[in-house]
Amino acid sequence: MAFDGLFTKAMTSELQQLVSGRISKVHQPNQLELLLQIRAQGKNHKLLISIHPSYSRIHLTNTANVNPSEPPMFCMLLRKHIEGGVITGIEQHGSDRLIILRIRARNEIGDEIERELHVEMMGRHSNIILVDAERDMILDSLKHLPPSVNSYRTILPGQDYIFPPSQDKRTPYDKEADFSGLSSKEIVSEFAGFSPLTAKELEYRLANDASSAQAFLNDFTNAQPNGYYVEQQGKSYFSATLLTHLEQENIRFDNLSELLDRIYYAKAERDRVKQQAGDLERWLQNEIAKLKLKLKKLKKEQDQAQKRDQLQLNGELIMANLHTIKKGMKEIQVINYYNEESVTIALDPRKTPIENSQKYYSRYQKAKTAVVKTQEQIKKTDEDIRYFEQLMQQVQQAGLSDIEEIREELAEQGYMKAQKSKKKKKPTKPSVENYVSSKGIAISVGKNNKQNDYVTFKVASKSDTWLHTKDIPGSHVVIHSQDPDEETILEAATIAAYFSKARDSASVPVDYTEVRQVKKPSGAKPGFVIYFEQKTVYVTPDEDLVLKLKK
């Protein structure tokens, strides 16, 4: 990754389209993100600002966000000071990862006020600070830093705003800046704005063309910068300039916001879900571990119970040899008339020969009953393991809105206590994800069991096409067409494979059939179905294709 000073410069250029725009709404989806809805140049824009320690960034976004029912205090403060305000300027501070949004708004009595939103994207030190521009005073911030934490720079309401300490490096845009002969490490140490990745790229270009520095720097000042993304050896890299020093091919994006949406959407969403569902994931892991241990014990019991035939034989052999057995004997050696082999049978010396025989017959009947019960328990435990593993897969791929439905399902099934809520919730329909194939055909996807049942048995028509990964936990996918073309089937199958336990696999088998061939057995758990007359295609999950088809 490389959201460095140079990338910040390029992003500042891209965000100039918001200047003169009006902030119509302020949202705070979670404790690390802000979302500003802005009307500029006749269009509606969503500006995402994140201070995540690993994914701090600012860019326009097209992704949907779930906002809390009650806005946090910082969000309420921003609504008071900047909602309805006009953005008069967006600029970078020096070559730092710091962007300032200058906003002209009005206070409660209608007087004009000047506010600044300082977006500091500095890893774990990232912050969003609202500043009174006239007094250079902090009104509030997303993160507070008392003097005990930072004596140089206190970030608290009422304190003077002080910029982060300067690194005293040269600006790369200085006319006298000379990069020739410098290694990437020397570029990073001498010039502001360079990350190791960007410095390596400049060093690589200079080695091939000594005059390429200016063209390289121009990419970051372009009014409409392009984004470039490379994935190499399991690592992701991005920049506002081509990364020619990397071996893998660059994927080009029309703008930086589209690039960052692509890179961070899944990562940030997964991180948000972990914050909300960490306890649920741990609970499922513990339940699966307990069930697997139970299954191991049951199978051991089954192995012991399956020795019941020997108990029956012992009873028979005692009855056949009553004339040789006397009360008080501890064992007897007899011939097994089935195979002519000698068998030693333990006896209870306190019991008569007939009582010893009856004891073995009684143990045989108990073992016979135990086998049936154990087999039933093994079957149920196997089903529970598959059910919880399916829920685990759904949690790991869920969005924030899906997690609550999974909790509700577990409560309804009696596995967890329902979470208490002050407000009575009205029953709502599950919210399924919608996609459109390249041929314009609608596709619906369930991402948890409630959504799966809803998609298959409520949304879909009997003649629609239903898809699911073969023998692999995953989503129910429905193509809303009676006779979809081959390309649409493959695209829907790719979506099904992506939202399954086989997301990271290649050549995933996906079954498809008509919805009328999908049945839910009586008493089956949510999301469980059986189906008939299916065909199978093999696809490889493709995140780019899934995001492209998302409605």
Side-chain angles (χ1 to χ4, degrees):
M1 301 297 180
F3 206 124
D4 54 16
L6 287 177
F7 192 89
T8 305
K9 193 173 192 68
M11 180 56 75
T12 306
S13 296
E14 181 169 299
L15 295 181
Q16 293 307 307
Q17 61 186 295
L18 301 180
V19 174
S20 76
R22 186 176 296 278
I23 300 172
S24 56
K25 199 69 179 174
V26 179
H27 294 290
Q28 188 179 339
N30 55 65
Q31 59 183 355
L32 299 175
E33 292 181 350
L34 280 181
L35 194 69
L36 307 184
Q37 292 186 9
I38 301 165
R39 179 73 177 175
Q41 298 181 12
K43 296 180 182 178
N44 293 320
H45 305 269
K46 289 194 294 184
L47 180 65
L48 176 69
I49 306 171
S50 172
I51 61 167
H52 190 285
S54 301
Y55 315 135
S56 57
R57 64 201 189 277
I58 178 171
H59 61 92
L60 297 172
T61 183
N62 290 316
T63 59
N65 286 74
V66 178
N67 298 306
S69 54
E70 294 184 9
M73 290 299 295
F74 186 63
C75 179
M76 293 294 288
L77 181 88
L78 289 180
R79 288 180 179 180
K80 175 183 174 182
H81 284 273
I82 66 172
E83 206 167 76
V86 174
I87 298 174
T88 58
I90 299 176
E91 61 188 51
Q92 179 185 17
H93 176 67
S95 296
D96 292 337
R97 290 170 292 169
L98 197 166
I99 289 180
I100 302 169
L101 277 68
R102 302 193 186 281
I103 302 159
R104 186 176 65 249
R106 293 188 180 276
N107 60 19
E108 297 94 328
I109 59 174
D111 292 336
E112 200 170 85
I113 54 174
E114 297 289 336
R115 298 288 182 256
E116 293 176 354
L117 201 61
H118 289 233
V119 181
E120 301 177 355
M121 298 162 288
M122 300 172 181
R124 62 190 181 91
H125 301 295
S126 299
N127 208 347
I128 303 172
I129 305 170
L130 181 65
V131 176
D132 181 334
E134 295 174 358
R135 295 181 289 172
D136 275 338
M137 185 185 78
I138 297 172
L139 295 172
D140 207 349
S141 60
L142 203 49
K143 288 197 301 192
H144 290 174
L145 286 177
S148 58
V149 175
N150 191 329
S151 57
Y152 169 78
R153 191 167 181 255
T154 300
I155 307 295
L156 287 173
Q159 295 290 319
D160 291 339
Y161 178 80
I162 300 172
F163 283 101
S166 173
Q167 295 180 311
D168 295 324
K169 294 182 180 180
R170 298 164 61 192
T171 172
Y173 291 94
D174 192 321
K175 291 181 180 179
E176 297 179 4
D178 185 5
F179 301 95
S180 58
L182 296 180
S183 67
S184 59
K185 287 185 178 180
E186 289 170 330
I187 293 172
V188 170
S189 64
E190 289 188 28
F191 290 92
F194 280 91
S195 63
L197 175 74
T198 316
K200 283 177 184 175
E201 176 61 26
L202 179 55
E203 180 188 20
Y204 179 81
R205 293 195 193 182
L206 289 171
N208 295 293
D209 180 3
S211 63
S212 61
Q214 191 57 51
F216 169 84
L217 292 171
N218 287 345
D219 284 343
F220 297 94
T221 56
N222 192 329
Q224 294 179 319
N226 295 130
Y228 299 91
Y229 173 69
V230 178
E231 200 161 291
Q232 185 168 296
Q233 296 179 348
K235 292 185 177 181
S236 301
Y237 305 91
F238 68 82
S239 183
T241 188
L242 268 167
L243 297 171
T244 56
H245 73 282
L246 297 176
E247 295 175 3
Q248 297 299 319
E249 182 183 356
N250 282 245
I251 300 172
R252 181 183 172 279
F253 290 83
D254 290 337
N255 54 68
L256 304 184
S257 293
E258 187 182 327
L259 164 71
L260 295 183
D261 249 358
R262 165 65 181 82
I263 293 171
Y264 285 120
Y265 174 70
K267 288 185 174 69
E269 179 75 0
R270 180 68 197 132
D271 191 79
R272 286 192 290 267
V273 169
K274 271 192 172 182
Q275 290 178 31
Q276 297 291 325
D279 63 322
L280 179 58
E281 198 166 336
R282 286 190 298 273
W283 185 87
L284 287 169
Q285 286 172 342
N286 290 337
E287 288 301 307
I288 291 168
K290 285 192 284 187
L291 286 168
K292 286 184 175 178
L293 181 62
K294 180 181 178 181
L295 186 63
K296 188 177 179 181
K297 290 179 179 177
L298 286 170
K299 287 183 175 178
K300 189 176 180 180
E301 289 176 17
Q302 186 182 46
D303 290 340
Q304 291 172 344
Q306 284 174 341
K307 296 174 183 175
R308 67 190 187 279
D309 292 342
Q310 185 63 45
L311 298 172
Q312 184 184 31
L313 178 61
N314 287 352
E316 287 180 10
L317 292 175
I318 290 172
M319 291 299 293
N321 292 277
L322 284 175
H323 61 286
T324 63
I325 305 172
K326 294 180 181 178
K327 187 176 180 179
M329 293 176 66
K330 292 184 178 179
E331 63 179 34
I332 184 174
Q333 196 169 29
V334 297
I335 300 298
N336 180 353
Y337 43 72
Y338 289 110
N339 57 17
E340 300 299 324
E341 292 181 358
S342 178
V343 178
T344 300
I345 302 173
L347 299 172
D348 186 341
R350 296 168 298 178
K351 296 182 183 294
T352 65
I354 290 178
E355 286 174 337
N356 269 293
S357 175
Q358 288 173 340
K359 176 186 172 184
Y360 276 108
Y361 278 126
S362 177
R363 287 174 60 190
Y364 164 72
Q365 289 299 332
K366 286 181 180 178
K368 190 176 178 182
T369 304
V371 167
V372 175
K373 288 184 177 178
T374 303
Q375 285 175 339
E376 288 173 356
Q377 284 189 300
I378 286 173
K379 182 182 177 184
K380 184 181 183 307
T381 306
D382 260 330
E383 288 175 354
D384 284 345
I385 289 172
R386 288 200 303 271
Y387 175 61
F388 285 132
E389 284 181 339
Q390 183 181 40
L391 287 177
M392 177 65 84
Q393 171 260 322
Q394 291 172 359
V395 168
Q396 290 172 345
Q397 296 180 359
L400 284 174
S401 58
D402 307 320
I403 293 298
E404 190 176 350
E405 289 177 345
I406 294 174
R407 290 187 193 275
E408 287 174 1
E409 178 187 331
L410 284 166
E412 289 166 4
Q413 294 294 308
Y415 291 109
M416 293 181 82
K417 287 184 178 179
Q419 290 187 334
K420 292 182 180 179
S421 177
K422 293 179 182 178
K423 296 180 180 178
K424 287 187 177 181
K425 287 181 64 179
K426 294 180 181 178
T428 56
K429 295 178 182 177
S431 177
V432 302
E433 290 204 348
N434 298 304
Y435 294 78
V436 178
S437 76
S438 55
K439 300 293 184 181
I441 299 173
I443 300 171
S444 295
V445 180
K447 288 180 65 183
N448 58 45
N449 290 329
K450 282 195 167 191
Q451 293 176 16
N452 285 338
D453 284 346
Y454 182 69
V455 163
T456 302
F457 300 110
K458 298 291 184 183
V459 175
S461 299
K462 294 293 183 184
S463 58
D464 287 346
T465 303
W466 183 90
L467 303 92
H468 193 281
T469 43
K470 186 180 183 68
D471 301 324
I472 300 169
S475 293
H476 292 200
V477 177
V478 171
I479 303 171
H480 297 285
S481 170
Q482 185 174 354
D483 186 25
D485 59 279
E486 185 178 350
E487 187 176 354
T488 297
I489 290 172
L490 289 174
E491 288 174 347
T494 301
I495 295 171
Y498 181 76
F499 289 113
S500 79
K501 198 174 181 179
R503 174 179 287 190
D504 298 320
S505 305
S507 192
V508 178
V510 178
D511 289 338
Y512 67 97
T513 187
E514 282 191 327
V515 170
R516 60 169 51 90
Q517 300 297 339
V518 183
K519 311 294 180 186
K520 190 170 189 67
S522 177
K525 282 184 167 57
F528 181 79
V529 297
I530 55 176
Y531 53 92
F532 313 93
E533 297 187 18
Q534 70 272 19
K535 296 177 182 177
T536 306
V537 292
Y538 290 82
V539 294
T540 298
D542 184 344
E543 185 176 34
D544 288 328
L545 177 61
V546 172
L547 292 174
K548 180 182 174 183
L549 299 178
K550 189 170 171 61
K551 190 173 178 181

